[in-house]
Amino acid sequence: YRFLNRALLDLASDVERLLQVNESRGFPGMLGSIDCMHWRWEKCPLAWRGQFTRGDYGVPTIVLEAVASQDLHIWHAFFGVAGSNNDLNVLNQSPLFFDALKGEAPQVQFSVNGNEYGTGYYLADGIYPEWAAFMKTIPLPQTEKHKLFAKHQEGARKDVERAFGVLQSRFTIVRRPARLWRRKSVGRIMLACVILHNMIVEDEREEATIHIDLNENPGASFALPPEVNIGGNLCFADVMRKKATVRSRPQHTQLKNDLVEHIWHKFGDNHHN
């Protein structure tokens, strides 16, 4: 239990650092960017080719769902879903929110534009649902505020695309078609590459202290220790309540409106200049 408690405290410290970095970028409460990457499976068995082939790719692929931060660290990796699925289908099978539903993830609390929030979120593209846990861009923005929000959201969301690019450039085996027949072996290779990638990122990372003036930025976000009860049984009602919070569409809409105002207040002057 002592080791587990220390691991949870270390995770809370990592989340705190993520929140501070993303706060300085104009996104309080943001935990990273989420997207999917397809890895071509050259030796896919003939009987499986139909379910592993999507029309826009034309070849069998296996999907990697990942969450990455600005320093290219991959915080979540879920690999193995058949390539015929889109990002939303992958999300429905992903363990991304398992820790949050069980109460084992650090609690994220932040305020934006005078409103308090208790659910961290990921930047995502248009296919993802309008949940409190995701923040998407504004398609075809018309006003200056919406244009500025879309610019910053789309710019920050490229973190995960950059992480995919660096992962493929570091490990040629991931860039080229997988030539193993067993699906489990392909998954082990991808997992090993992600682990090595994170080790390189941590080794090369320069610890930069980001100063956040709480008087100037009252919407500071912070992480609290997980509310998990080690050894206790999960309450079904609590799990359903957490699930409803993660999937709350009204909170998504309110948070987007608050972020639009927050980013306009923070970067609007630079946008005009």
Side-chain angles (χ1 to χ4, degrees):
Y1 289 165
R2 187 183 308 168
F3 175 78
L4 180 57
N5 283 330
R6 180 178 299 176
L8 292 175
L9 290 176
D10 291 342
L11 178 59
S13 176
D14 289 336
V15 172
E16 185 79 29
R17 181 178 58 83
L18 276 176
L19 293 175
Q20 290 181 1
V21 172
N22 293 324
E23 171 92 13
S24 68
R25 304 170 72 190
F27 290 96
M30 193 258 280
L31 296 171
S33 303
I34 185 172
D35 204 354
C36 290
M37 180 186 82
H38 288 251
W39 187 15
R40 180 179 174 183
W41 190 10
E42 184 175 305
K43 298 298 182 180
C44 176
L46 291 176
W48 293 1
R49 286 184 174 266
Q51 62 175 316
F52 280 83
T53 304
R54 207 170 77 181
D56 52 347
Y57 285 91
V59 293
T61 61
I62 306 179
V63 182
L64 168 68
E65 178 192 73
V67 171
S69 53
Q70 187 182 27
D71 61 0
L72 306 184
H73 193 287
I74 296 177
W75 297 95
H76 160 80
F78 173 57
F79 181 77
V81 177
S84 60
N85 294 276
N86 58 26
D87 296 4
L88 188 56
N89 301 137
V90 176
L91 176 66
N92 291 332
Q93 305 174 53
S94 170
L96 176 63
F97 298 112
F98 280 8
D99 288 343
L101 296 181
K102 292 188 295 182
E104 297 178 359
Q107 305 173 66
V108 176
Q109 294 186 4
F110 62 99
S111 62
V112 185
N113 199 33
N115 292 317
E116 301 289 335
Y117 295 93
T119 303
Y121 59 91
Y122 305 97
L123 300 186
D125 61 14
I127 194 173
Y128 284 86
E130 294 184 346
W131 293 353
F134 297 119
M135 183 51 55
K136 306 192 295 182
T137 187
I138 298 177
L140 302 176
Q142 301 298 318
T143 67
E144 292 298 321
K145 288 184 179 181
H146 288 177
K147 290 179 181 178
L148 185 62
F149 171 81
K151 175 183 176 181
H152 282 268
Q153 194 276 349
E154 293 167 11
R157 199 190 67 79
K158 292 186 182 298
D159 293 345
V160 65
E161 298 177 5
R162 290 169 48 233
F164 288 149
V166 172
L167 179 69
Q168 292 177 321
S169 65
R170 280 180 173 155
F171 304 102
T172 307
I173 191 172
V174 179
R175 186 171 68 248
R176 295 178 177 176
R179 297 182 178 179
L180 294 176
W181 182 77
R182 295 186 61 189
R183 184 177 179 182
K184 184 179 294 185
S185 299
V186 178
R188 287 172 177 168
I189 291 175
M190 177 60 77
L191 179 60
C193 290
V194 170
I195 293 174
L196 291 172
H197 167 84
N198 284 340
M199 292 174 64
I200 295 172
V201 169
E202 292 176 2
D203 183 64
E204 295 179 347
R205 182 170 58 203
E206 297 181 0
E207 294 294 341
T209 302
I210 298 177
H211 175 70
I212 300 179
D213 187 351
L214 297 183
N215 294 320
E216 181 182 352
N217 300 288
S221 48
F222 56 92
L224 298 175
E227 56 185 10
V228 63
N229 181 17
I230 300 175
N233 295 323
L234 294 176
C235 176
F236 181 74
D238 289 341
V239 173
M240 295 304 295
R241 175 180 56 81
K242 291 183 175 69
K243 183 177 181 180
T245 301
V246 167
R247 299 191 175 197
S248 173
R249 184 163 184 171
Q251 182 173 324
H252 168 90
T253 303
Q254 181 180 352
L255 177 58
K256 176 176 283 189
N257 293 334
D258 287 337
L259 284 174
V260 168
E261 296 295 331
H262 175 76
I263 290 178
W264 179 257
H265 177 74
K266 187 178 182 67
F267 302 106
D269 294 337
N270 297 333
H271 177 68
H272 289 301
N273 296 333

mmCIF file of all heavy atoms in Angstrom, residues 4-47:
data_model
loop_
_atom_site.group_PDB
_atom_site.id
_atom_site.type_symbol
_atom_site.label_atom_id
_atom_site.label_comp_id
_atom_site.label_asym_id
_atom_site.label_seq_id
_atom_site.Cartn_x
_atom_site.Cartn_y
_atom_site.Cartn_z
ATOM 1 N N LEU A 4 2.012 1.875 -3.481
ATOM 2 C CA LEU A 4 0.899 2.358 -4.302
ATOM 3 C C LEU A 4 0.594 3.810 -3.981
ATOM 4 O O LEU A 4 0.353 4.625 -4.883
ATOM 5 C CB LEU A 4 -0.331 1.484 -4.071
ATOM 6 C CG LEU A 4 -1.590 1.857 -4.862
ATOM 7 C CD1 LEU A 4 -1.302 1.849 -6.353
ATOM 8 C CD2 LEU A 4 -2.733 0.904 -4.542
ATOM 9 N N ASN A 5 0.613 4.163 -2.705
ATOM 10 C CA ASN A 5 0.353 5.556 -2.332
ATOM 11 C C ASN A 5 1.409 6.485 -2.908
ATOM 12 O O ASN A 5 1.098 7.591 -3.372
ATOM 13 C CB ASN A 5 0.335 5.683 -0.803
ATOM 14 C CG ASN A 5 -0.952 5.160 -0.187
ATOM 15 O OD1 ASN A 5 -1.992 5.213 -0.824
ATOM 16 N ND2 ASN A 5 -0.866 4.644 1.020
ATOM 17 N N ARG A 6 2.666 6.049 -2.888
ATOM 18 C CA ARG A 6 3.730 6.873 -3.453
ATOM 19 C C ARG A 6 3.539 7.040 -4.951
ATOM 20 O O ARG A 6 3.731 8.126 -5.500
ATOM 21 C CB ARG A 6 5.088 6.234 -3.169
ATOM 22 C CG ARG A 6 6.266 7.030 -3.716
ATOM 23 C CD ARG A 6 7.588 6.377 -3.352
ATOM 24 N NE ARG A 6 7.759 6.308 -1.907
ATOM 25 C CZ ARG A 6 8.805 5.705 -1.319
ATOM 26 N NH1 ARG A 6 9.730 5.127 -2.068
ATOM 27 N NH2 ARG A 6 8.895 5.688 -0.006
ATOM 28 N N ALA A 7 3.122 5.958 -5.633
ATOM 29 C CA ALA A 7 2.892 6.042 -7.077
ATOM 30 C C ALA A 7 1.754 7.010 -7.388
ATOM 31 O O ALA A 7 1.822 7.788 -8.348
ATOM 32 C CB ALA A 7 2.579 4.654 -7.635
ATOM 33 N N LEU A 8 0.703 6.990 -6.568
ATOM 34 C CA LEU A 8 -0.428 7.895 -6.786
ATOM 35 C C LEU A 8 -0.018 9.342 -6.557
ATOM 36 O O LEU A 8 -0.454 10.247 -7.270
ATOM 37 C CB LEU A 8 -1.586 7.509 -5.868
ATOM 38 C CG LEU A 8 -2.266 6.164 -6.158
ATOM 39 C CD1 LEU A 8 -3.314 5.857 -5.111
ATOM 40 C CD2 LEU A 8 -2.876 6.137 -7.551
ATOM 41 N N LEU A 9 0.832 9.579 -5.556
ATOM 42 C CA LEU A 9 1.306 10.937 -5.312
ATOM 43 C C LEU A 9 2.190 11.425 -6.448
ATOM 44 O O LEU A 9 2.119 12.596 -6.849
ATOM 45 C CB LEU A 9 2.068 10.981 -3.986
ATOM 46 C CG LEU A 9 1.219 10.813 -2.711
ATOM 47 C CD1 LEU A 9 2.111 10.769 -1.480
ATOM 48 C CD2 LEU A 9 0.191 11.927 -2.596
ATOM 49 N N ASP A 10 3.036 10.539 -6.991
ATOM 50 C CA ASP A 10 3.866 10.908 -8.144
ATOM 51 C C ASP A 10 2.993 11.246 -9.344
ATOM 52 O O ASP A 10 3.283 12.179 -10.094
ATOM 53 C CB ASP A 10 4.829 9.769 -8.489
ATOM 54 C CG ASP A 10 5.912 9.579 -7.431
ATOM 55 O OD1 ASP A 10 6.119 10.521 -6.645
ATOM 56 O OD2 ASP A 10 6.526 8.498 -7.397
ATOM 57 N N LEU A 11 1.919 10.469 -9.549
ATOM 58 C CA LEU A 11 1.009 10.744 -10.659
ATOM 59 C C LEU A 11 0.339 12.096 -10.472
ATOM 60 O O LEU A 11 0.211 12.871 -11.424
ATOM 61 C CB LEU A 11 -0.043 9.633 -10.757
ATOM 62 C CG LEU A 11 -1.101 9.798 -11.853
ATOM 63 C CD1 LEU A 11 -0.439 9.891 -13.220
ATOM 64 C CD2 LEU A 11 -2.100 8.649 -11.813
ATOM 65 N N ALA A 12 -0.078 12.398 -9.250
ATOM 66 C CA ALA A 12 -0.696 13.701 -8.980
ATOM 67 C C ALA A 12 0.290 14.832 -9.250
ATOM 68 O O ALA A 12 -0.088 15.893 -9.759
ATOM 69 C CB ALA A 12 -1.197 13.757 -7.543
ATOM 70 N N SER A 13 1.565 14.611 -8.933
ATOM 71 C CA SER A 13 2.587 15.624 -9.207
ATOM 72 C C SER A 13 2.762 15.836 -10.701
ATOM 73 O O SER A 13 2.900 16.975 -11.167
ATOM 74 C CB SER A 13 3.910 15.192 -8.572
ATOM 75 O OG SER A 13 4.940 16.099 -8.885
ATOM 76 N N ASP A 14 2.742 14.738 -11.479
ATOM 77 C CA ASP A 14 2.842 14.853 -12.939
ATOM 78 C C ASP A 14 1.644 15.603 -13.511
ATOM 79 O O ASP A 14 1.784 16.443 -14.409
ATOM 80 C CB ASP A 14 2.937 13.464 -13.583
ATOM 81 C CG ASP A 14 4.273 12.789 -13.320
ATOM 82 O OD1 ASP A 14 5.258 13.504 -13.068
ATOM 83 O OD2 ASP A 14 4.319 11.544 -13.366
ATOM 84 N N VAL A 15 0.457 15.297 -13.008
ATOM 85 C CA VAL A 15 -0.747 15.982 -13.481
ATOM 86 C C VAL A 15 -0.679 17.462 -13.132
ATOM 87 O O VAL A 15 -1.058 18.319 -13.938
ATOM 88 C CB VAL A 15 -2.011 15.328 -12.875
ATOM 89 C CG1 VAL A 15 -3.249 16.153 -13.191
ATOM 90 C CG2 VAL A 15 -2.174 13.910 -13.400
ATOM 91 N N GLU A 16 -0.164 17.777 -11.937
ATOM 92 C CA GLU A 16 -0.022 19.180 -11.536
ATOM 93 C C GLU A 16 0.883 19.933 -12.503
ATOM 94 O O GLU A 16 0.599 21.071 -12.902
ATOM 95 C CB GLU A 16 0.545 19.244 -10.118
ATOM 96 C CG GLU A 16 0.634 20.650 -9.546
ATOM 97 C CD GLU A 16 -0.701 21.170 -9.049
ATOM 98 O OE1 GLU A 16 -1.550 20.357 -8.635
ATOM 99 O OE2 GLU A 16 -0.893 22.395 -9.088
ATOM 100 N N ARG A 17 1.982 19.302 -12.897
ATOM 101 C CA ARG A 17 2.909 19.946 -13.843
ATOM 102 C C ARG A 17 2.240 20.126 -15.204
ATOM 103 O O ARG A 17 2.365 21.183 -15.833
ATOM 104 C CB ARG A 17 4.165 19.097 -13.993
ATOM 105 C CG ARG A 17 5.203 19.698 -14.935
ATOM 106 C CD ARG A 17 6.445 18.826 -15.002
ATOM 107 N NE ARG A 17 6.124 17.481 -15.438
ATOM 108 C CZ ARG A 17 5.985 17.135 -16.725
ATOM 109 N NH1 ARG A 17 6.118 18.045 -17.680
ATOM 110 N NH2 ARG A 17 5.701 15.896 -17.059
ATOM 111 N N LEU A 18 1.500 19.113 -15.653
ATOM 112 C CA LEU A 18 0.770 19.236 -16.920
ATOM 113 C C LEU A 18 -0.219 20.392 -16.881
ATOM 114 O O LEU A 18 -0.332 21.176 -17.840
ATOM 115 C CB LEU A 18 0.020 17.934 -17.220
ATOM 116 C CG LEU A 18 0.774 16.799 -17.897
ATOM 117 C CD1 LEU A 18 -0.131 15.577 -17.997
ATOM 118 C CD2 LEU A 18 1.273 17.214 -19.261
ATOM 119 N N LEU A 19 -0.934 20.508 -15.790
ATOM 120 C CA LEU A 19 -1.934 21.564 -15.660
ATOM 121 C C LEU A 19 -1.286 22.945 -15.703
ATOM 122 O O LEU A 19 -1.822 23.876 -16.306
ATOM 123 C CB LEU A 19 -2.724 21.376 -14.361
ATOM 124 C CG LEU A 19 -3.614 20.135 -14.280
ATOM 125 C CD1 LEU A 19 -4.229 20.016 -12.900
ATOM 126 C CD2 LEU A 19 -4.702 20.156 -15.349
ATOM 127 N N GLN A 20 -0.128 23.089 -15.064
ATOM 128 C CA GLN A 20 0.546 24.376 -15.063
ATOM 129 C C GLN A 20 1.020 24.754 -16.461
ATOM 130 O O GLN A 20 0.881 25.904 -16.889
ATOM 131 C CB GLN A 20 1.726 24.339 -14.089
ATOM 132 C CG GLN A 20 1.328 24.276 -12.629
ATOM 133 C CD GLN A 20 2.529 24.276 -11.707
ATOM 134 O OE1 GLN A 20 3.665 24.348 -12.168
ATOM 135 N NE2 GLN A 20 2.289 24.189 -10.413
ATOM 136 N N VAL A 21 1.590 23.783 -17.181
ATOM 137 C CA VAL A 21 2.056 24.063 -18.545
ATOM 138 C C VAL A 21 0.893 24.461 -19.434
ATOM 139 O O VAL A 21 0.953 25.451 -20.179
ATOM 140 C CB VAL A 21 2.786 22.832 -19.124
ATOM 141 C CG1 VAL A 21 3.091 23.038 -20.607
ATOM 142 C CG2 VAL A 21 4.078 22.567 -18.359
ATOM 143 N N ASN A 22 -0.188 23.710 -19.378
ATOM 144 C CA ASN A 22 -1.334 23.992 -20.243
ATOM 145 C C ASN A 22 -2.075 25.255 -19.810
ATOM 146 O O ASN A 22 -2.712 25.916 -20.634
ATOM 147 C CB ASN A 22 -2.272 22.789 -20.266
ATOM 148 C CG ASN A 22 -1.641 21.593 -20.948
ATOM 149 O OD1 ASN A 22 -0.894 21.741 -21.913
ATOM 150 N ND2 ASN A 22 -1.906 20.404 -20.445
ATOM 151 N N GLU A 23 -2.004 25.577 -18.509
ATOM 152 C CA GLU A 23 -2.565 26.853 -18.042
ATOM 153 C C GLU A 23 -1.872 28.020 -18.730
ATOM 154 O O GLU A 23 -2.507 28.983 -19.160
ATOM 155 C CB GLU A 23 -2.387 26.951 -16.520
ATOM 156 C CG GLU A 23 -2.716 28.309 -15.933
ATOM 157 C CD GLU A 23 -4.156 28.412 -15.492
ATOM 158 O OE1 GLU A 23 -4.838 27.382 -15.414
ATOM 159 O OE2 GLU A 23 -4.595 29.541 -15.224
ATOM 160 N N SER A 24 -0.539 27.925 -18.858
ATOM 161 C CA SER A 24 0.213 29.006 -19.493
ATOM 162 C C SER A 24 -0.089 29.108 -20.980
ATOM 163 O O SER A 24 0.122 30.155 -21.589
ATOM 164 C CB SER A 24 1.712 28.786 -19.286
ATOM 165 O OG SER A 24 2.163 27.647 -19.997
ATOM 166 N N ARG A 25 -0.615 28.054 -21.576
ATOM 167 C CA ARG A 25 -0.958 28.050 -23.002
ATOM 168 C C ARG A 25 -2.393 28.502 -23.249
ATOM 169 O O ARG A 25 -2.836 28.558 -24.393
ATOM 170 C CB ARG A 25 -0.750 26.657 -23.594
ATOM 171 C CG ARG A 25 0.655 26.109 -23.393
ATOM 172 C CD ARG A 25 0.737 24.655 -23.772
ATOM 173 N NE ARG A 25 0.672 24.457 -25.206
ATOM 174 C CZ ARG A 25 0.524 23.255 -25.778
ATOM 175 N NH1 ARG A 25 0.376 22.171 -25.030
ATOM 176 N NH2 ARG A 25 0.484 23.149 -27.091
ATOM 177 N N GLY A 26 -3.120 28.778 -22.179
ATOM 178 C CA GLY A 26 -4.482 29.274 -22.320
ATOM 179 C C GLY A 26 -5.555 28.236 -22.101
ATOM 180 O O GLY A 26 -6.734 28.514 -22.333
ATOM 181 N N PHE A 27 -5.174 27.038 -21.634
ATOM 182 C CA PHE A 27 -6.160 25.965 -21.449
ATOM 183 C C PHE A 27 -6.082 25.409 -20.031
ATOM 184 O O PHE A 27 -5.487 24.336 -19.805
ATOM 185 C CB PHE A 27 -5.928 24.846 -22.472
ATOM 186 C CG PHE A 27 -6.260 25.222 -23.880
ATOM 187 C CD1 PHE A 27 -5.274 25.662 -24.752
ATOM 188 C CD2 PHE A 27 -7.567 25.158 -24.346
ATOM 189 C CE1 PHE A 27 -5.571 26.025 -26.051
ATOM 190 C CE2 PHE A 27 -7.877 25.510 -25.652
ATOM 191 C CZ PHE A 27 -6.888 25.954 -26.504
ATOM 192 N N PRO A 28 -6.654 26.096 -19.047
ATOM 193 C CA PRO A 28 -6.700 25.551 -17.685
ATOM 194 C C PRO A 28 -7.475 24.234 -17.659
ATOM 195 O O PRO A 28 -8.506 24.090 -18.313
ATOM 196 C CB PRO A 28 -7.442 26.637 -16.899
ATOM 197 C CG PRO A 28 -7.361 27.867 -17.745
ATOM 198 C CD PRO A 28 -7.306 27.408 -19.159
ATOM 199 N N GLY A 29 -6.952 23.262 -16.916
ATOM 200 C CA GLY A 29 -7.643 21.983 -16.788
ATOM 201 C C GLY A 29 -7.377 21.004 -17.914
ATOM 202 O O GLY A 29 -7.896 19.888 -17.879
ATOM 203 N N MET A 30 -6.550 21.386 -18.892
ATOM 204 C CA MET A 30 -6.290 20.503 -20.032
ATOM 205 C C MET A 30 -5.199 19.490 -19.677
ATOM 206 O O MET A 30 -4.159 19.845 -19.144
ATOM 207 C CB MET A 30 -5.878 21.334 -21.248
ATOM 208 C CG MET A 30 -5.893 20.542 -22.548
ATOM 209 S SD MET A 30 -4.267 20.023 -23.090
ATOM 210 C CE MET A 30 -3.654 21.521 -23.844
ATOM 211 N N LEU A 31 -5.452 18.206 -19.993
ATOM 212 C CA LEU A 31 -4.540 17.121 -19.633
ATOM 213 C C LEU A 31 -3.711 16.615 -20.807
ATOM 214 O O LEU A 31 -2.841 15.771 -20.617
ATOM 215 C CB LEU A 31 -5.344 15.950 -19.052
ATOM 216 C CG LEU A 31 -6.072 16.242 -17.735
ATOM 217 C CD1 LEU A 31 -6.996 15.095 -17.371
ATOM 218 C CD2 LEU A 31 -5.076 16.504 -16.628
ATOM 219 N N GLY A 32 -3.967 17.088 -22.019
ATOM 220 C CA GLY A 32 -3.229 16.633 -23.182
ATOM 221 C C GLY A 32 -4.121 16.599 -24.403
ATOM 222 O O GLY A 32 -5.269 17.056 -24.373
ATOM 223 N N SER A 33 -3.586 16.042 -25.480
ATOM 224 C CA SER A 33 -4.318 15.935 -26.746
ATOM 225 C C SER A 33 -4.470 14.463 -27.109
ATOM 226 O O SER A 33 -3.545 13.676 -26.916
ATOM 227 C CB SER A 33 -3.579 16.677 -27.860
ATOM 228 O OG SER A 33 -3.375 18.033 -27.513
ATOM 229 N N ILE A 34 -5.633 14.108 -27.649
ATOM 230 C CA ILE A 34 -5.930 12.718 -27.968
ATOM 231 C C ILE A 34 -6.161 12.554 -29.463
ATOM 232 O O ILE A 34 -6.744 13.427 -30.113
ATOM 233 C CB ILE A 34 -7.160 12.215 -27.176
ATOM 234 C CG1 ILE A 34 -7.391 10.724 -27.433
ATOM 235 C CG2 ILE A 34 -8.406 13.032 -27.515
ATOM 236 C CD1 ILE A 34 -8.461 10.125 -26.529
ATOM 237 N N ASP A 35 -5.668 11.441 -30.004
ATOM 238 C CA ASP A 35 -5.895 11.122 -31.412
ATOM 239 C C ASP A 35 -5.521 9.663 -31.635
ATOM 240 O O ASP A 35 -5.038 8.989 -30.718
ATOM 241 C CB ASP A 35 -5.065 12.031 -32.318
ATOM 242 C CG ASP A 35 -5.669 12.167 -33.721
ATOM 243 O OD1 ASP A 35 -6.664 11.453 -34.003
ATOM 244 O OD2 ASP A 35 -5.162 12.947 -34.528
ATOM 245 N N CYS A 36 -5.738 9.181 -32.861
ATOM 246 C CA CYS A 36 -5.431 7.798 -33.214
ATOM 247 C C CYS A 36 -4.476 7.736 -34.396
ATOM 248 O O CYS A 36 -4.498 8.604 -35.268
ATOM 249 C CB CYS A 36 -6.710 7.031 -33.552
ATOM 250 S SG CYS A 36 -7.780 6.718 -32.122
ATOM 251 N N MET A 37 -3.636 6.702 -34.405
ATOM 252 C CA MET A 37 -2.692 6.446 -35.488
ATOM 253 C C MET A 37 -2.882 5.013 -35.972
ATOM 254 O O MET A 37 -3.068 4.099 -35.161
ATOM 255 C CB MET A 37 -1.253 6.646 -34.993
ATOM 256 C CG MET A 37 -0.184 6.412 -36.046
ATOM 257 S SD MET A 37 1.507 6.483 -35.358
ATOM 258 C CE MET A 37 1.649 4.820 -34.692
ATOM 259 N N HIS A 38 -2.850 4.815 -37.285
ATOM 260 C CA HIS A 38 -2.992 3.484 -37.872
ATOM 261 C C HIS A 38 -1.614 2.941 -38.253
ATOM 262 O O HIS A 38 -0.818 3.633 -38.886
ATOM 263 C CB HIS A 38 -3.883 3.537 -39.115
ATOM 264 C CG HIS A 38 -5.337 3.765 -38.804
ATOM 265 N ND1 HIS A 38 -6.298 2.797 -38.949
ATOM 266 C CD2 HIS A 38 -5.989 4.856 -38.334
ATOM 267 C CE1 HIS A 38 -7.473 3.276 -38.595
ATOM 268 N NE2 HIS A 38 -7.315 4.532 -38.229
ATOM 269 N N TRP A 39 -1.347 1.687 -37.847
ATOM 270 C CA TRP A 39 -0.113 1.011 -38.226
ATOM 271 C C TRP A 39 -0.468 -0.122 -39.192
ATOM 272 O O TRP A 39 -1.232 -1.016 -38.856
ATOM 273 C CB TRP A 39 0.589 0.460 -36.987
ATOM 274 C CG TRP A 39 1.958 -0.122 -37.269
ATOM 275 C CD1 TRP A 39 2.711 0.047 -38.387
ATOM 276 C CD2 TRP A 39 2.722 -0.951 -36.395
ATOM 277 N NE1 TRP A 39 3.898 -0.619 -38.282
ATOM 278 C CE2 TRP A 39 3.941 -1.245 -37.059
ATOM 279 C CE3 TRP A 39 2.508 -1.467 -35.117
ATOM 280 C CZ2 TRP A 39 4.927 -2.048 -36.485
ATOM 281 C CZ3 TRP A 39 3.501 -2.260 -34.556
ATOM 282 C CH2 TRP A 39 4.691 -2.538 -35.239
ATOM 283 N N ARG A 40 0.089 -0.048 -40.373
ATOM 284 C CA ARG A 40 -0.223 -1.046 -41.391
ATOM 285 C C ARG A 40 0.263 -2.428 -40.959
ATOM 286 O O ARG A 40 1.393 -2.593 -40.498
ATOM 287 C CB ARG A 40 0.423 -0.663 -42.725
ATOM 288 C CG ARG A 40 0.131 -1.667 -43.851
ATOM 289 C CD ARG A 40 0.769 -1.240 -45.141
ATOM 290 N NE ARG A 40 0.612 -2.258 -46.164
ATOM 291 C CZ ARG A 40 1.130 -2.191 -47.395
ATOM 292 N NH1 ARG A 40 1.830 -1.113 -47.748
ATOM 293 N NH2 ARG A 40 0.943 -3.167 -48.252
ATOM 294 N N TRP A 41 -0.608 -3.431 -41.125
ATOM 295 C CA TRP A 41 -0.301 -4.818 -40.752
ATOM 296 C C TRP A 41 -0.182 -5.646 -42.024
ATOM 297 O O TRP A 41 -1.163 -6.130 -42.552
ATOM 298 C CB TRP A 41 -1.389 -5.358 -39.840
ATOM 299 C CG TRP A 41 -1.059 -6.672 -39.200
ATOM 300 C CD1 TRP A 41 0.142 -7.312 -39.193
ATOM 301 C CD2 TRP A 41 -1.952 -7.507 -38.469
ATOM 302 N NE1 TRP A 41 0.067 -8.489 -38.501
ATOM 303 C CE2 TRP A 41 -1.213 -8.632 -38.045
ATOM 304 C CE3 TRP A 41 -3.297 -7.416 -38.128
ATOM 305 C CZ2 TRP A 41 -1.799 -9.660 -37.289
ATOM 306 C CZ3 TRP A 41 -3.871 -8.432 -37.383
ATOM 307 C CH2 TRP A 41 -3.130 -9.545 -36.968
ATOM 308 N N GLU A 42 1.036 -5.785 -42.496
ATOM 309 C CA GLU A 42 1.270 -6.456 -43.777
ATOM 310 C C GLU A 42 0.930 -7.937 -43.729
ATOM 311 O O GLU A 42 0.431 -8.507 -44.693
ATOM 312 C CB GLU A 42 2.738 -6.277 -44.188
ATOM 313 C CG GLU A 42 3.067 -6.845 -45.560
ATOM 314 C CD GLU A 42 4.488 -6.545 -45.983
ATOM 315 O OE1 GLU A 42 4.856 -5.354 -45.986
ATOM 316 O OE2 GLU A 42 5.236 -7.492 -46.288
ATOM 317 N N LYS A 43 1.206 -8.586 -42.594
ATOM 318 C CA LYS A 43 0.998 -10.029 -42.474
ATOM 319 C C LYS A 43 -0.332 -10.367 -41.812
ATOM 320 O O LYS A 43 -0.481 -11.436 -41.219
ATOM 321 C CB LYS A 43 2.147 -10.646 -41.665
ATOM 322 C CG LYS A 43 3.520 -10.483 -42.303
ATOM 323 C CD LYS A 43 3.597 -11.183 -43.647
ATOM 324 C CE LYS A 43 5.001 -11.052 -44.239
ATOM 325 N NZ LYS A 43 5.107 -11.720 -45.553
ATOM 326 N N CYS A 44 -1.300 -9.500 -41.944
ATOM 327 C CA CYS A 44 -2.630 -9.773 -41.395
ATOM 328 C C CYS A 44 -3.196 -11.040 -42.029
ATOM 329 O O CYS A 44 -3.191 -11.184 -43.257
ATOM 330 C CB CYS A 44 -3.564 -8.596 -41.666
ATOM 331 S SG CYS A 44 -5.269 -8.860 -41.144
ATOM 332 N N PRO A 45 -3.683 -12.009 -41.238
ATOM 333 C CA PRO A 45 -4.276 -13.228 -41.808
ATOM 334 C C PRO A 45 -5.410 -12.897 -42.770
ATOM 335 O O PRO A 45 -6.162 -11.948 -42.568
ATOM 336 C CB PRO A 45 -4.791 -13.972 -40.568
ATOM 337 C CG PRO A 45 -3.941 -13.469 -39.438
ATOM 338 C CD PRO A 45 -3.655 -12.029 -39.768
ATOM 339 N N LEU A 46 -5.523 -13.682 -43.815
ATOM 340 C CA LEU A 46 -6.529 -13.416 -44.853
ATOM 341 C C LEU A 46 -7.945 -13.383 -44.279
ATOM 342 O O LEU A 46 -8.773 -12.591 -44.712
ATOM 343 C CB LEU A 46 -6.434 -14.488 -45.946
ATOM 344 C CG LEU A 46 -5.172 -14.451 -46.829
ATOM 345 C CD1 LEU A 46 -5.173 -15.622 -47.806
ATOM 346 C CD2 LEU A 46 -5.095 -13.134 -47.582
ATOM 347 N N ALA A 47 -8.233 -14.234 -43.296
ATOM 348 C CA ALA A 47 -9.579 -14.291 -42.727
ATOM 349 C C ALA A 47 -9.938 -13.024 -41.962
ATOM 350 O O ALA A 47 -11.112 -12.745 -41.732
ATOM 351 C CB ALA A 47 -9.697 -15.504 -41.805
#
